[in-house]
């Protein structure tokens, strides 16, 4: 099978060729293809199937999504983001079972994995007949993440290697994913529970988790910078505790952070540093300010958090 990135107008998509077995009605791939065509499955990009001269082509529309490996070039993943990814991977794999789809046919290569920032969802492509062992794929994905992971996040490092040990176990199966969520100050904290490894019973495990939470620093982290993902902005926007506000725009004298492109207004937006968090406000710009693809009302402040995508017109920044 061959996969290609394609674009037509404003549409971006992946094209997959070499899927002729799906044309045979008796083939299991044909059944899986029909399931994909007829159902919207959470976490999977629904393909459009086309037959050209007896050759089947699958097209997966990837608009509004970011490729993980390109994103990770700009921003190192940490434990919080990895936990989100692994939880959503778990959900997708369980969904596949509900629809009698083969887990080995989901593609877990970072260059073909996507994240929708507006919906905050992982989006994957599923190719009937792809057939690469899912355990091998999960290990390969974590090995890729290990090379670029932010190792300053000590809890995240423990989570990452704990998950890797779990998946590497000879008896590992999809059912062995164990993720407990505990609310902490309005934020969701994800704790890895490895019953196979720790040999703790339920009561002991719950006591361990409670003690661990009492001894931890708050999970919430403040934004330290906005990392540019597009070419118009040349450097990061550093969020310093000594700043009260940062004006963003095209003007040389009027702004603290300049983006010298024609889509940006002279004074486009303002970032405010409050005691209770970081806020962004659109200053009645021509082309707008967006948080996770939602356009802000002018002169109305919106709080932003780590993991948010902030756009000044078409210039994109990732909050870390």
């Amino acid at each position: 099978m061959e996969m290609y990135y394609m674009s037509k107008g404003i549409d971006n998509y992946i094209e997959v060729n070499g899927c002729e077995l799906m044309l045979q009605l008796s083939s299991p791939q044909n059944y899986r293809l029909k399931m994909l065509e007829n159902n919207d499955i959470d976490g999977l990009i629904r393909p459009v199937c086309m037959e050209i001269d007896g050759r089947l082509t699958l097209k997966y529309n990837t608009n509004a999504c970011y490729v993980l490996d390109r994103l990770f070039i700009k921003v190192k993943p940490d434990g919080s983001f990895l936990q989100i990814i692994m939880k959503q991977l778990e959900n997708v794999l369980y969904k596949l079972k509900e629809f009698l789809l083969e887990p080995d046919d989901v593609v877990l290569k970072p260059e073909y994995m996507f994240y929708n920032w507006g919906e905050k969802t992982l989006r994957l492509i599923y190719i009937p007949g792809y057939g690469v062992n899912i355990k091998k794929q999960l290990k390969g994905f974590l090995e890729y993440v290990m090379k670029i992971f932010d190792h300053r996040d000590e809890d995240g490092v423990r989570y990452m290697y704990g998950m890797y040990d779990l998946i590497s176990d000879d008896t590992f199966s999809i059912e062995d994913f164990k993720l407990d969520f505990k609310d902490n100050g309005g934020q969701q904290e994800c704790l890895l529970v490895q019953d196979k490894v720790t040999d703790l019973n339920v009561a002991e495990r719950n006591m361990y988790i409670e003690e661990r939470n009492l001894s931890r620093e708050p999970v919430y982290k403040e934004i330290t910078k906005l990392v540019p993902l597009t070419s118009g902005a040349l450097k990061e926007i550093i969020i310093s505790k000594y700043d009260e506000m940062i004006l963003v725009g095209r003007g040389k004298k009027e702004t603290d952070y300049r983006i010298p492109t024609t889509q940006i207004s002279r004074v486009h937006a303002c970032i405010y540093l409050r005691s209770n968090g970081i806020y962004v406000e659109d200053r009645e710009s021509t082309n707008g300010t967006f948080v996770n693809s939602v356009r802000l009302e002018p002169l109305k402040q919106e709080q932003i958090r780590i993991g948010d995508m902030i756009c000044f017109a078409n210039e994109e920044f990732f909050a870390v």
Side-chain angles (χ1 to χ4, degrees), residues 8-9 16 42 48 60 62 64 84 94 97 112 123 127-128 131 139 144 161 166 178 182-183 186 239 264 285 301 308:
K8 186 175 182 180
V16 179
D42 291 342
V48 175
Y60 299 82
T62 60
I84 292 171
Y94 273 96
K97 292 178 61 179
Y112 293 106
R123 306 297 303 278
I127 305 175
K139 285 184 64 179
Y144 163 83
Y161 284 100
L166 182 67
K178 301 285 185 184
K182 186 177 184 66
D183 188 71
I239 309 296
I264 301 295
S285 66
Q301 296 179 22
D308 284 345

Side-chain angles (χ1 to χ4, degrees), residues 10-11 28 50 88 94 111 144 147 177 211 299 311:
I10 61 171
D11 291 328
M50 301 177 64
Q88 294 196 20
Y94 273 96
E111 61 267 34
Y144 163 83
K147 297 176 183 178
F177 272 120
E211 290 175 350
L299 304 178
C311 298

Side-chain angles (χ1 to χ4, degrees), residues 10-66:
I10 61 171
D11 291 328
N12 299 308
Y13 58 91
I14 293 175
E15 188 172 289
V16 179
N17 298 324
C19 310
E20 288 76 10
L21 280 176
M22 297 181 207
L23 295 174
Q24 302 174 16
L25 294 178
S26 60
S27 133
Q29 285 93 335
N30 187 270
Y31 162 79
R32 295 168 195 158
L33 180 59
K34 295 302 179 186
M35 293 298 290
L36 293 172
E37 286 181 309
N38 298 325
N39 297 280
D40 286 319
I41 303 174
D42 291 342
L44 296 184
I45 300 175
R46 191 173 184 175
V48 175
C49 307
M50 301 177 64
E51 186 180 346
I52 303 175
D53 299 326
R55 176 176 57 85
L56 185 67
T57 297
L58 300 182
K59 289 187 176 180
Y60 299 82
N61 190 306
T62 60
N63 288 342
C65 293
Y66 289 85

Side-chain angles (χ1 to χ4, degrees), residues 77-132:
D78 63 5
S80 298
F81 190 65
L82 180 59
Q83 288 166 359
I84 292 171
I85 293 296
M86 296 308 293
K87 179 59 182 176
Q88 294 196 20
L89 267 176
E90 176 196 6
N91 292 338
V92 171
L93 294 175
Y94 273 96
K95 279 289 181 184
L96 296 182
K97 292 178 61 179
E98 292 179 16
F99 287 89
L100 302 180
L101 295 172
E102 177 55 54
D104 292 352
D105 287 346
V106 70
V107 179
L108 297 187
K109 291 183 176 181
E111 61 267 34
Y112 293 106
M113 299 170 70
F114 302 87
Y115 198 76
N116 185 306
W117 291 106
E119 300 175 359
K120 293 203 178 291
T121 54
L122 180 69
R123 306 297 303 278
L124 304 173
I125 63 174
Y126 181 99
I127 305 175
Y130 182 66
V132 179

